[in-house]
Amino acid sequence: MDENSPVFAIAMAAELAEMHPQTLRQYDRLGLVVPGRTRGGSRRYSMRDIAQLREIARLGSEGVSLEGIRRVLELENENRALRERVSELESALADQLISRPGARVFAASATGGAVPLRAGVRPQRNTQIVLWRPQR
């Protein structure tokens, strides 16, 4: 079962999270944990939602306000999304490097930027002399 699959009815989710169902409804209204909905409009919670409900309970017991909890959850969700995106990009990059080894070669420009070169081509040397004078 996927952790994001909304399968638990509110009564079961409340039991798993060790909360009252009315608390789950309140958190849904506040946008802290927004469960999936059936076609009939019933709430369905995922394992990920249950974990977030437990995190809310833990943070609340430590004295964090509901607004603070909302911000923490928002940042955790953003962090998870960014980690997933980085993983996707790393995988795509690895696929590109495997399929085209040596296709991307760079050299440093005179200003310090990166200059792309074709594989097997050497950068031209710059032998100009530059006179430096301190500003007064």
Side-chain angles (χ1 to χ4, degrees):
M1 177 173 74
D2 179 25
E3 73 172 358
N4 294 315
S5 298
V7 295
F8 300 108
I10 192 166
M12 179 56 73
E15 187 175 326
L16 290 170
E18 300 177 355
M19 295 180 171
H20 193 278
Q22 193 60 36
T23 304
L24 273 63
R25 290 183 187 95
Q26 179 68 21
Y27 290 164
D28 184 12
R29 281 191 290 277
L30 294 173
L32 291 176
V33 176
V34 180
R37 300 281 182 154
T38 64
R39 290 181 193 205
S42 298
R43 291 174 176 89
R44 291 290 185 259
Y45 292 84
S46 67
M47 283 304 295
R48 189 171 165 301
D49 294 332
I50 305 297
Q52 279 195 326
L53 288 166
R54 289 178 180 164
E55 179 72 1
I56 290 170
R58 186 187 67 76
L59 290 169
S61 71
E62 293 177 359
V64 180
S65 69
L66 287 178
E67 180 58 28
I69 291 171
R70 185 194 64 72
R71 184 69 177 135
V72 167
L73 292 177
E74 182 181 288
L75 290 170
E76 285 177 350
N77 291 335
E78 184 178 336
N79 189 329
R80 184 177 40 265
L82 290 171
R83 286 178 187 269
E84 289 172 2
R85 182 65 178 144
V86 165
S87 180
E88 290 171 10
L89 292 172
E90 285 175 340
S91 179
L93 178 61
D95 290 344
Q96 284 292 319
L97 292 174
I98 289 170
S99 66
R100 296 180 12 197
R104 304 285 293 185
V105 178
F106 295 91
S109 70
T111 60
V115 178
L117 298 173
R118 289 190 321 269
V121 175
R122 296 179 75 78
Q124 291 182 348
R125 291 184 151 236
N126 187 346
T127 58
Q128 296 176 348
I129 297 176
V130 177
L131 180 60
W132 178 81
R133 291 188 183 149
Q135 292 182 353
R136 296 179 194 195

mmCIF file of all heavy atoms in Angstrom, residues 5-56:
data_model
loop_
_atom_site.group_PDB
_atom_site.id
_atom_site.type_symbol
_atom_site.label_atom_id
_atom_site.label_comp_id
_atom_site.label_asym_id
_atom_site.label_seq_id
_atom_site.Cartn_x
_atom_site.Cartn_y
_atom_site.Cartn_z
ATOM 1 N N SER A 5 -1.970 6.790 -0.259
ATOM 2 C CA SER A 5 -3.290 6.309 -0.659
ATOM 3 C C SER A 5 -4.306 6.609 0.435
ATOM 4 O O SER A 5 -4.164 6.145 1.565
ATOM 5 C CB SER A 5 -3.265 4.801 -0.915
ATOM 6 O OG SER A 5 -2.385 4.502 -1.960
ATOM 7 N N PRO A 6 -5.352 7.377 0.115
ATOM 8 C CA PRO A 6 -6.372 7.697 1.122
ATOM 9 C C PRO A 6 -7.328 6.520 1.327
ATOM 10 O O PRO A 6 -8.227 6.309 0.519
ATOM 11 C CB PRO A 6 -7.090 8.912 0.525
ATOM 12 C CG PRO A 6 -6.877 8.804 -0.938
ATOM 13 C CD PRO A 6 -5.578 8.072 -1.141
ATOM 14 N N VAL A 7 -7.124 5.751 2.378
ATOM 15 C CA VAL A 7 -7.910 4.536 2.592
ATOM 16 C C VAL A 7 -8.650 4.498 3.925
ATOM 17 O O VAL A 7 -9.600 3.733 4.072
ATOM 18 C CB VAL A 7 -7.027 3.272 2.473
ATOM 19 C CG1 VAL A 7 -6.497 3.111 1.066
ATOM 20 C CG2 VAL A 7 -5.890 3.303 3.471
ATOM 21 N N PHE A 8 -8.262 5.291 4.905
ATOM 22 C CA PHE A 8 -8.840 5.203 6.239
ATOM 23 C C PHE A 8 -9.989 6.190 6.422
ATOM 24 O O PHE A 8 -9.829 7.387 6.169
ATOM 25 C CB PHE A 8 -7.780 5.472 7.316
ATOM 26 C CG PHE A 8 -6.629 4.506 7.280
ATOM 27 C CD1 PHE A 8 -5.390 4.901 6.829
ATOM 28 C CD2 PHE A 8 -6.806 3.190 7.686
ATOM 29 C CE1 PHE A 8 -4.328 4.016 6.792
ATOM 30 C CE2 PHE A 8 -5.746 2.293 7.654
ATOM 31 C CZ PHE A 8 -4.510 2.712 7.193
ATOM 32 N N ALA A 9 -11.129 5.682 6.888
ATOM 33 C CA ALA A 9 -12.248 6.547 7.243
ATOM 34 C C ALA A 9 -11.864 7.332 8.490
ATOM 35 O O ALA A 9 -10.907 6.994 9.196
ATOM 36 C CB ALA A 9 -13.494 5.713 7.494
ATOM 37 N N ILE A 10 -12.608 8.376 8.786
ATOM 38 C CA ILE A 10 -12.245 9.272 9.877
ATOM 39 C C ILE A 10 -12.181 8.549 11.221
ATOM 40 O O ILE A 10 -11.303 8.820 12.032
ATOM 41 C CB ILE A 10 -13.186 10.495 9.932
ATOM 42 C CG1 ILE A 10 -12.604 11.547 10.885
ATOM 43 C CG2 ILE A 10 -14.600 10.081 10.296
ATOM 44 C CD1 ILE A 10 -13.252 12.903 10.777
ATOM 45 N N ALA A 11 -13.071 7.588 11.466
ATOM 46 C CA ALA A 11 -13.062 6.875 12.749
ATOM 47 C C ALA A 11 -11.768 6.073 12.915
ATOM 48 O O ALA A 11 -11.135 6.104 13.978
ATOM 49 C CB ALA A 11 -14.271 5.966 12.852
ATOM 50 N N MET A 12 -11.361 5.384 11.880
ATOM 51 C CA MET A 12 -10.132 4.588 11.933
ATOM 52 C C MET A 12 -8.908 5.503 12.018
ATOM 53 O O MET A 12 -7.975 5.235 12.775
ATOM 54 C CB MET A 12 -10.019 3.680 10.712
ATOM 55 C CG MET A 12 -8.756 2.842 10.704
ATOM 56 S SD MET A 12 -8.519 1.809 12.165
ATOM 57 C CE MET A 12 -9.719 0.556 11.889
ATOM 58 N N ALA A 13 -8.917 6.594 11.256
ATOM 59 C CA ALA A 13 -7.794 7.538 11.298
ATOM 60 C C ALA A 13 -7.663 8.148 12.692
ATOM 61 O O ALA A 13 -6.552 8.282 13.216
ATOM 62 C CB ALA A 13 -7.987 8.631 10.260
ATOM 63 N N ALA A 14 -8.788 8.487 13.313
ATOM 64 C CA ALA A 14 -8.754 9.057 14.662
ATOM 65 C C ALA A 14 -8.187 8.049 15.651
ATOM 66 O O ALA A 14 -7.390 8.403 16.526
ATOM 67 C CB ALA A 14 -10.160 9.488 15.080
ATOM 68 N N GLU A 15 -8.575 6.787 15.495
ATOM 69 C CA GLU A 15 -8.057 5.749 16.385
ATOM 70 C C GLU A 15 -6.553 5.567 16.187
ATOM 71 O O GLU A 15 -5.799 5.482 17.154
ATOM 72 C CB GLU A 15 -8.790 4.434 16.117
ATOM 73 C CG GLU A 15 -8.443 3.338 17.091
ATOM 74 C CD GLU A 15 -9.274 2.085 16.857
ATOM 75 O OE1 GLU A 15 -10.440 2.196 16.463
ATOM 76 O OE2 GLU A 15 -8.714 0.984 17.063
ATOM 77 N N LEU A 16 -6.115 5.518 14.938
ATOM 78 C CA LEU A 16 -4.688 5.345 14.649
ATOM 79 C C LEU A 16 -3.856 6.532 15.151
ATOM 80 O O LEU A 16 -2.723 6.368 15.590
ATOM 81 C CB LEU A 16 -4.463 5.145 13.151
ATOM 82 C CG LEU A 16 -4.959 3.819 12.569
ATOM 83 C CD1 LEU A 16 -4.897 3.851 11.049
ATOM 84 C CD2 LEU A 16 -4.148 2.657 13.121
ATOM 85 N N ALA A 17 -4.426 7.722 15.059
ATOM 86 C CA ALA A 17 -3.712 8.929 15.489
ATOM 87 C C ALA A 17 -3.921 9.217 16.975
ATOM 88 O O ALA A 17 -3.327 10.156 17.505
ATOM 89 C CB ALA A 17 -4.175 10.127 14.666
ATOM 90 N N GLU A 18 -4.754 8.399 17.613
ATOM 91 C CA GLU A 18 -5.084 8.576 19.027
ATOM 92 C C GLU A 18 -5.655 9.955 19.306
ATOM 93 O O GLU A 18 -5.229 10.667 20.213
ATOM 94 C CB GLU A 18 -3.858 8.295 19.904
ATOM 95 C CG GLU A 18 -3.330 6.880 19.755
ATOM 96 C CD GLU A 18 -2.078 6.612 20.563
ATOM 97 O OE1 GLU A 18 -1.546 7.549 21.191
ATOM 98 O OE2 GLU A 18 -1.630 5.451 20.564
ATOM 99 N N MET A 19 -6.643 10.334 18.473
ATOM 100 C CA MET A 19 -7.320 11.620 18.599
ATOM 101 C C MET A 19 -8.823 11.398 18.476
ATOM 102 O O MET A 19 -9.271 10.351 18.015
ATOM 103 C CB MET A 19 -6.886 12.583 17.488
ATOM 104 C CG MET A 19 -5.455 12.983 17.521
ATOM 105 S SD MET A 19 -5.109 14.099 16.146
ATOM 106 C CE MET A 19 -3.476 14.619 16.563
ATOM 107 N N HIS A 20 -9.580 12.410 18.837
ATOM 108 C CA HIS A 20 -11.027 12.378 18.673
ATOM 109 C C HIS A 20 -11.350 12.734 17.223
ATOM 110 O O HIS A 20 -10.692 13.607 16.631
ATOM 111 C CB HIS A 20 -11.682 13.379 19.633
ATOM 112 C CG HIS A 20 -13.147 13.203 19.744
ATOM 113 N ND1 HIS A 20 -14.025 13.719 18.821
ATOM 114 C CD2 HIS A 20 -13.903 12.551 20.664
ATOM 115 C CE1 HIS A 20 -15.257 13.412 19.168
ATOM 116 N NE2 HIS A 20 -15.212 12.689 20.297
ATOM 117 N N PRO A 21 -12.354 12.098 16.607
ATOM 118 C CA PRO A 21 -12.710 12.432 15.221
ATOM 119 C C PRO A 21 -13.002 13.921 15.017
ATOM 120 O O PRO A 21 -12.692 14.479 13.959
ATOM 121 C CB PRO A 21 -13.947 11.581 14.951
ATOM 122 C CG PRO A 21 -13.812 10.422 15.880
ATOM 123 C CD PRO A 21 -13.137 10.963 17.106
ATOM 124 N N GLN A 22 -13.583 14.572 16.044
ATOM 125 C CA GLN A 22 -13.877 16.000 15.917
ATOM 126 C C GLN A 22 -12.590 16.815 15.773
ATOM 127 O O GLN A 22 -12.559 17.815 15.071
ATOM 128 C CB GLN A 22 -14.678 16.491 17.125
ATOM 129 C CG GLN A 22 -15.282 17.859 16.938
ATOM 130 C CD GLN A 22 -16.241 17.923 15.749
ATOM 131 O OE1 GLN A 22 -16.966 16.983 15.455
ATOM 132 N NE2 GLN A 22 -16.211 19.042 15.049
ATOM 133 N N THR A 23 -11.513 16.358 16.404
ATOM 134 C CA THR A 23 -10.220 17.027 16.274
ATOM 135 C C THR A 23 -9.733 16.936 14.830
ATOM 136 O O THR A 23 -9.214 17.914 14.276
ATOM 137 C CB THR A 23 -9.193 16.389 17.232
ATOM 138 O OG1 THR A 23 -9.707 16.432 18.558
ATOM 139 C CG2 THR A 23 -7.860 17.115 17.175
ATOM 140 N N LEU A 24 -9.915 15.775 14.204
ATOM 141 C CA LEU A 24 -9.513 15.616 12.808
ATOM 142 C C LEU A 24 -10.314 16.538 11.904
ATOM 143 O O LEU A 24 -9.776 17.130 10.963
ATOM 144 C CB LEU A 24 -9.682 14.161 12.361
ATOM 145 C CG LEU A 24 -8.495 13.242 12.642
ATOM 146 C CD1 LEU A 24 -8.216 13.094 14.120
ATOM 147 C CD2 LEU A 24 -8.709 11.898 12.002
ATOM 148 N N ARG A 25 -11.603 16.678 12.190
ATOM 149 C CA ARG A 25 -12.437 17.595 11.397
ATOM 150 C C ARG A 25 -11.945 19.035 11.552
ATOM 151 O O ARG A 25 -11.887 19.795 10.575
ATOM 152 C CB ARG A 25 -13.896 17.488 11.835
ATOM 153 C CG ARG A 25 -14.556 16.184 11.446
ATOM 154 C CD ARG A 25 -16.037 16.169 11.851
ATOM 155 N NE ARG A 25 -16.606 14.855 11.624
ATOM 156 C CZ ARG A 25 -16.703 13.907 12.550
ATOM 157 N NH1 ARG A 25 -16.274 14.132 13.789
ATOM 158 N NH2 ARG A 25 -17.230 12.739 12.257
ATOM 159 N N GLN A 26 -11.589 19.399 12.784
ATOM 160 C CA GLN A 26 -11.085 20.748 13.037
ATOM 161 C C GLN A 26 -9.769 20.989 12.288
ATOM 162 O O GLN A 26 -9.592 22.031 11.664
ATOM 163 C CB GLN A 26 -10.861 20.957 14.547
ATOM 164 C CG GLN A 26 -10.325 22.318 14.922
ATOM 165 C CD GLN A 26 -11.318 23.445 14.678
ATOM 166 O OE1 GLN A 26 -12.519 23.216 14.597
ATOM 167 N NE2 GLN A 26 -10.817 24.645 14.524
ATOM 168 N N TYR A 27 -8.872 20.030 12.326
ATOM 169 C CA TYR A 27 -7.604 20.169 11.607
ATOM 170 C C TYR A 27 -7.833 20.264 10.103
ATOM 171 O O TYR A 27 -7.109 20.970 9.408
ATOM 172 C CB TYR A 27 -6.666 19.011 11.927
ATOM 173 C CG TYR A 27 -6.123 19.016 13.340
ATOM 174 C CD1 TYR A 27 -5.531 17.897 13.879
ATOM 175 C CD2 TYR A 27 -6.187 20.155 14.147
ATOM 176 C CE1 TYR A 27 -5.012 17.888 15.166
ATOM 177 C CE2 TYR A 27 -5.690 20.165 15.429
ATOM 178 C CZ TYR A 27 -5.107 19.028 15.939
ATOM 179 O OH TYR A 27 -4.601 19.037 17.215
ATOM 180 N N ASP A 28 -8.845 19.563 9.610
ATOM 181 C CA ASP A 28 -9.188 19.653 8.189
ATOM 182 C C ASP A 28 -9.671 21.070 7.875
ATOM 183 O O ASP A 28 -9.249 21.676 6.890
ATOM 184 C CB ASP A 28 -10.258 18.618 7.845
ATOM 185 C CG ASP A 28 -10.600 18.579 6.367
ATOM 186 O OD1 ASP A 28 -9.877 19.182 5.550
ATOM 187 O OD2 ASP A 28 -11.607 17.930 6.013
ATOM 188 N N ARG A 29 -10.548 21.629 8.723
ATOM 189 C CA ARG A 29 -11.038 22.999 8.506
ATOM 190 C C ARG A 29 -9.899 24.016 8.535
ATOM 191 O O ARG A 29 -9.909 24.984 7.784
ATOM 192 C CB ARG A 29 -12.089 23.358 9.555
ATOM 193 C CG ARG A 29 -13.465 22.791 9.281
ATOM 194 C CD ARG A 29 -14.516 23.399 10.198
ATOM 195 N NE ARG A 29 -14.375 22.969 11.588
ATOM 196 C CZ ARG A 29 -14.845 21.825 12.084
ATOM 197 N NH1 ARG A 29 -15.503 20.987 11.307
ATOM 198 N NH2 ARG A 29 -14.676 21.535 13.354
ATOM 199 N N LEU A 30 -8.927 23.778 9.425
ATOM 200 C CA LEU A 30 -7.783 24.697 9.528
ATOM 201 C C LEU A 30 -6.753 24.484 8.432
ATOM 202 O O LEU A 30 -5.829 25.285 8.265
ATOM 203 C CB LEU A 30 -7.107 24.528 10.892
ATOM 204 C CG LEU A 30 -7.929 24.942 12.114
ATOM 205 C CD1 LEU A 30 -7.207 24.549 13.400
ATOM 206 C CD2 LEU A 30 -8.198 26.437 12.085
ATOM 207 N N GLY A 31 -6.862 23.375 7.701
ATOM 208 C CA GLY A 31 -5.910 23.086 6.625
ATOM 209 C C GLY A 31 -4.628 22.438 7.095
ATOM 210 O O GLY A 31 -3.655 22.373 6.347
ATOM 211 N N LEU A 32 -4.594 21.954 8.346
ATOM 212 C CA LEU A 32 -3.381 21.301 8.851
ATOM 213 C C LEU A 32 -3.178 19.941 8.200
ATOM 214 O O LEU A 32 -2.075 19.605 7.776
ATOM 215 C CB LEU A 32 -3.453 21.145 10.369
ATOM 216 C CG LEU A 32 -3.369 22.435 11.171
ATOM 217 C CD1 LEU A 32 -3.548 22.146 12.647
ATOM 218 C CD2 LEU A 32 -2.052 23.127 10.924
ATOM 219 N N VAL A 33 -4.227 19.140 8.160
ATOM 220 C CA VAL A 33 -4.202 17.843 7.471
ATOM 221 C C VAL A 33 -5.478 17.766 6.650
ATOM 222 O O VAL A 33 -6.574 17.710 7.206
ATOM 223 C CB VAL A 33 -4.133 16.659 8.463
ATOM 224 C CG1 VAL A 33 -4.211 15.341 7.713
ATOM 225 C CG2 VAL A 33 -2.859 16.718 9.277
ATOM 226 N N VAL A 34 -5.323 17.805 5.340
ATOM 227 C CA VAL A 34 -6.478 17.791 4.447
ATOM 228 C C VAL A 34 -6.560 16.409 3.811
ATOM 229 O O VAL A 34 -5.756 16.069 2.943
ATOM 230 C CB VAL A 34 -6.356 18.884 3.366
ATOM 231 C CG1 VAL A 34 -7.568 18.867 2.451
ATOM 232 C CG2 VAL A 34 -6.178 20.245 4.018
ATOM 233 N N PRO A 35 -7.534 15.602 4.245
ATOM 234 C CA PRO A 35 -7.641 14.242 3.717
ATOM 235 C C PRO A 35 -8.263 14.230 2.319
ATOM 236 O O PRO A 35 -8.848 15.232 1.878
ATOM 237 C CB PRO A 35 -8.579 13.564 4.722
ATOM 238 C CG PRO A 35 -9.440 14.678 5.216
ATOM 239 C CD PRO A 35 -8.549 15.882 5.256
ATOM 240 N N GLY A 36 -8.108 13.102 1.660
ATOM 241 C CA GLY A 36 -8.791 12.916 0.390
ATOM 242 C C GLY A 36 -10.279 12.779 0.636
ATOM 243 O O GLY A 36 -10.730 12.620 1.773
ATOM 244 N N ARG A 37 -11.062 12.842 -0.405
ATOM 245 C CA ARG A 37 -12.518 12.715 -0.287
ATOM 246 C C ARG A 37 -13.022 11.659 -1.262
ATOM 247 O O ARG A 37 -12.487 11.506 -2.349
ATOM 248 C CB ARG A 37 -13.217 14.039 -0.608
ATOM 249 C CG ARG A 37 -12.853 15.205 0.279
ATOM 250 C CD ARG A 37 -13.580 15.117 1.584
ATOM 251 N NE ARG A 37 -13.258 16.268 2.425
ATOM 252 C CZ ARG A 37 -14.057 16.722 3.346
ATOM 253 N NH1 ARG A 37 -15.226 16.146 3.567
ATOM 254 N NH2 ARG A 37 -13.694 17.731 4.087
ATOM 255 N N THR A 38 -14.055 10.966 -0.823
ATOM 256 C CA THR A 38 -14.725 10.017 -1.719
ATOM 257 C C THR A 38 -15.681 10.815 -2.596
ATOM 258 O O THR A 38 -15.879 12.020 -2.384
ATOM 259 C CB THR A 38 -15.513 8.964 -0.916
ATOM 260 O OG1 THR A 38 -16.556 9.627 -0.188
ATOM 261 C CG2 THR A 38 -14.608 8.184 0.022
ATOM 262 N N ARG A 39 -16.317 10.147 -3.545
ATOM 263 C CA ARG A 39 -17.287 10.851 -4.389
ATOM 264 C C ARG A 39 -18.448 11.381 -3.563
ATOM 265 O O ARG A 39 -19.041 12.394 -3.892
ATOM 266 C CB ARG A 39 -17.804 9.910 -5.472
ATOM 267 C CG ARG A 39 -16.757 9.586 -6.493
ATOM 268 C CD ARG A 39 -17.299 8.691 -7.562
ATOM 269 N NE ARG A 39 -16.190 8.171 -8.343
ATOM 270 C CZ ARG A 39 -16.299 7.770 -9.574
ATOM 271 N NH1 ARG A 39 -17.463 7.768 -10.167
ATOM 272 N NH2 ARG A 39 -15.248 7.332 -10.215
ATOM 273 N N GLY A 40 -18.761 10.690 -2.485
ATOM 274 C CA GLY A 40 -19.834 11.126 -1.600
ATOM 275 C C GLY A 40 -19.415 12.222 -0.629
ATOM 276 O O GLY A 40 -20.233 12.750 0.112
ATOM 277 N N GLY A 41 -18.131 12.566 -0.577
ATOM 278 C CA GLY A 41 -17.642 13.638 0.280
ATOM 279 C C GLY A 41 -17.069 13.179 1.600
ATOM 280 O O GLY A 41 -16.665 13.997 2.418
ATOM 281 N N SER A 42 -17.020 11.864 1.833
ATOM 282 C CA SER A 42 -16.451 11.364 3.086
ATOM 283 C C SER A 42 -14.937 11.538 3.084
ATOM 284 O O SER A 42 -14.288 11.382 2.054
ATOM 285 C CB SER A 42 -16.773 9.880 3.262
ATOM 286 O OG SER A 42 -18.163 9.689 3.341
ATOM 287 N N ARG A 43 -14.410 11.828 4.255
ATOM 288 C CA ARG A 43 -12.959 11.995 4.384
ATOM 289 C C ARG A 43 -12.282 10.628 4.349
ATOM 290 O O ARG A 43 -12.751 9.677 4.950
ATOM 291 C CB ARG A 43 -12.635 12.689 5.701
ATOM 292 C CG ARG A 43 -13.058 14.120 5.783
ATOM 293 C CD ARG A 43 -12.827 14.659 7.192
ATOM 294 N NE ARG A 43 -13.132 16.070 7.283
ATOM 295 C CZ ARG A 43 -14.330 16.564 7.581
ATOM 296 N NH1 ARG A 43 -15.342 15.751 7.807
ATOM 297 N NH2 ARG A 43 -14.512 17.859 7.649
ATOM 298 N N ARG A 44 -11.127 10.567 3.680
ATOM 299 C CA ARG A 44 -10.295 9.366 3.669
ATOM 300 C C ARG A 44 -8.857 9.800 3.923
ATOM 301 O O ARG A 44 -8.311 10.638 3.218
ATOM 302 C CB ARG A 44 -10.380 8.637 2.320
ATOM 303 C CG ARG A 44 -11.704 7.988 2.047
ATOM 304 C CD ARG A 44 -11.907 6.776 2.960
ATOM 305 N NE ARG A 44 -13.121 6.067 2.649
ATOM 306 C CZ ARG A 44 -14.255 6.164 3.330
ATOM 307 N NH1 ARG A 44 -14.323 6.957 4.371
ATOM 308 N NH2 ARG A 44 -15.316 5.474 2.986
ATOM 309 N N TYR A 45 -8.269 9.192 4.947
ATOM 310 C CA TYR A 45 -6.922 9.547 5.373
ATOM 311 C C TYR A 45 -5.910 8.501 4.903
ATOM 312 O O TYR A 45 -6.202 7.322 4.856
ATOM 313 C CB TYR A 45 -6.870 9.656 6.898
ATOM 314 C CG TYR A 45 -7.660 10.827 7.436
ATOM 315 C CD1 TYR A 45 -9.030 10.731 7.654
ATOM 316 C CD2 TYR A 45 -7.030 12.030 7.720
ATOM 317 C CE1 TYR A 45 -9.756 11.810 8.145
ATOM 318 C CE2 TYR A 45 -7.740 13.112 8.209
ATOM 319 C CZ TYR A 45 -9.110 12.993 8.410
ATOM 320 O OH TYR A 45 -9.819 14.068 8.881
ATOM 321 N N SER A 46 -4.717 8.974 4.582
ATOM 322 C CA SER A 46 -3.617 8.095 4.190
ATOM 323 C C SER A 46 -2.708 7.859 5.398
ATOM 324 O O SER A 46 -2.842 8.524 6.427
ATOM 325 C CB SER A 46 -2.814 8.741 3.059
ATOM 326 O OG SER A 46 -2.148 9.896 3.539
ATOM 327 N N MET A 47 -1.768 6.943 5.245
ATOM 328 C CA MET A 47 -0.781 6.717 6.306
ATOM 329 C C MET A 47 0.053 7.976 6.529
ATOM 330 O O MET A 47 0.436 8.300 7.647
ATOM 331 C CB MET A 47 0.132 5.535 5.967
ATOM 332 C CG MET A 47 -0.511 4.188 6.171
ATOM 333 S SD MET A 47 -1.163 3.928 7.837
ATOM 334 C CE MET A 47 0.322 3.967 8.815
ATOM 335 N N ARG A 48 0.305 8.699 5.486
ATOM 336 C CA ARG A 48 1.054 9.953 5.604
ATOM 337 C C ARG A 48 0.255 10.962 6.426
ATOM 338 O O ARG A 48 0.803 11.693 7.246
ATOM 339 C CB ARG A 48 1.344 10.491 4.212
ATOM 340 C CG ARG A 48 2.298 11.658 4.185
ATOM 341 C CD ARG A 48 2.671 11.962 2.728
ATOM 342 N NE ARG A 48 3.279 13.226 2.530
ATOM 343 C CZ ARG A 48 2.761 14.414 2.831
ATOM 344 N NH1 ARG A 48 1.591 14.504 3.378
ATOM 345 N NH2 ARG A 48 3.408 15.525 2.595
ATOM 346 N N ASP A 49 -1.077 11.021 6.197
ATOM 347 C CA ASP A 49 -1.936 11.898 6.995
ATOM 348 C C ASP A 49 -1.896 11.506 8.471
ATOM 349 O O ASP A 49 -1.845 12.373 9.353
ATOM 350 C CB ASP A 49 -3.385 11.843 6.498
ATOM 351 C CG ASP A 49 -3.569 12.417 5.105
ATOM 352 O OD1 ASP A 49 -2.791 13.309 4.715
ATOM 353 O OD2 ASP A 49 -4.495 11.969 4.404
ATOM 354 N N ILE A 50 -1.922 10.200 8.734
ATOM 355 C CA ILE A 50 -1.874 9.710 10.114
ATOM 356 C C ILE A 50 -0.560 10.148 10.771
ATOM 357 O O ILE A 50 -0.541 10.617 11.912
ATOM 358 C CB ILE A 50 -2.009 8.170 10.174
ATOM 359 C CG1 ILE A 50 -3.277 7.685 9.471
ATOM 360 C CG2 ILE A 50 -1.916 7.661 11.602
ATOM 361 C CD1 ILE A 50 -4.560 8.145 10.054
ATOM 362 N N ALA A 51 0.536 10.027 10.032
ATOM 363 C CA ALA A 51 1.839 10.450 10.560
ATOM 364 C C ALA A 51 1.838 11.945 10.860
ATOM 365 O O ALA A 51 2.395 12.385 11.876
ATOM 366 C CB ALA A 51 2.948 10.094 9.575
ATOM 367 N N GLN A 52 1.211 12.737 9.990
ATOM 368 C CA GLN A 52 1.142 14.176 10.229
ATOM 369 C C GLN A 52 0.279 14.482 11.450
ATOM 370 O O GLN A 52 0.605 15.378 12.233
ATOM 371 C CB GLN A 52 0.589 14.906 9.005
ATOM 372 C CG GLN A 52 1.637 15.145 7.948
ATOM 373 C CD GLN A 52 1.207 16.168 6.916
ATOM 374 O OE1 GLN A 52 0.032 16.249 6.572
ATOM 375 N NE2 GLN A 52 2.162 16.920 6.406
ATOM 376 N N LEU A 53 -0.807 13.736 11.623
ATOM 377 C CA LEU A 53 -1.650 13.937 12.809
ATOM 378 C C LEU A 53 -0.868 13.642 14.085
ATOM 379 O O LEU A 53 -0.977 14.373 15.075
ATOM 380 C CB LEU A 53 -2.893 13.053 12.723
ATOM 381 C CG LEU A 53 -3.927 13.484 11.681
ATOM 382 C CD1 LEU A 53 -4.945 12.376 11.441
ATOM 383 C CD2 LEU A 53 -4.609 14.775 12.103
ATOM 384 N N ARG A 54 -0.076 12.601 14.056
ATOM 385 C CA ARG A 54 0.753 12.278 15.223
ATOM 386 C C ARG A 54 1.795 13.365 15.470
ATOM 387 O O ARG A 54 2.102 13.700 16.610
ATOM 388 C CB ARG A 54 1.425 10.926 15.028
ATOM 389 C CG ARG A 54 0.454 9.771 15.115
ATOM 390 C CD ARG A 54 1.142 8.462 14.883
ATOM 391 N NE ARG A 54 0.200 7.353 14.978
ATOM 392 C CZ ARG A 54 0.442 6.139 14.530
ATOM 393 N NH1 ARG A 54 1.616 5.863 13.976
ATOM 394 N NH2 ARG A 54 -0.462 5.201 14.658
ATOM 395 N N GLU A 55 2.353 13.901 14.392
ATOM 396 C CA GLU A 55 3.331 14.997 14.513
ATOM 397 C C GLU A 55 2.658 16.232 15.105
ATOM 398 O O GLU A 55 3.239 16.928 15.938
ATOM 399 C CB GLU A 55 3.946 15.306 13.145
ATOM 400 C CG GLU A 55 4.955 16.424 13.144
ATOM 401 C CD GLU A 55 6.274 16.064 13.799
ATOM 402 O OE1 GLU A 55 6.455 14.927 14.253
ATOM 403 O OE2 GLU A 55 7.139 16.954 13.876
ATOM 404 N N ILE A 56 1.436 16.515 14.693
ATOM 405 C CA ILE A 56 0.683 17.650 15.240
ATOM 406 C C ILE A 56 0.497 17.458 16.741
ATOM 407 O O ILE A 56 0.701 18.391 17.529
ATOM 408 C CB ILE A 56 -0.678 17.801 14.529
ATOM 409 C CG1 ILE A 56 -0.459 18.288 13.097
ATOM 410 C CG2 ILE A 56 -1.587 18.754 15.292
ATOM 411 C CD1 ILE A 56 -1.706 18.240 12.233
#
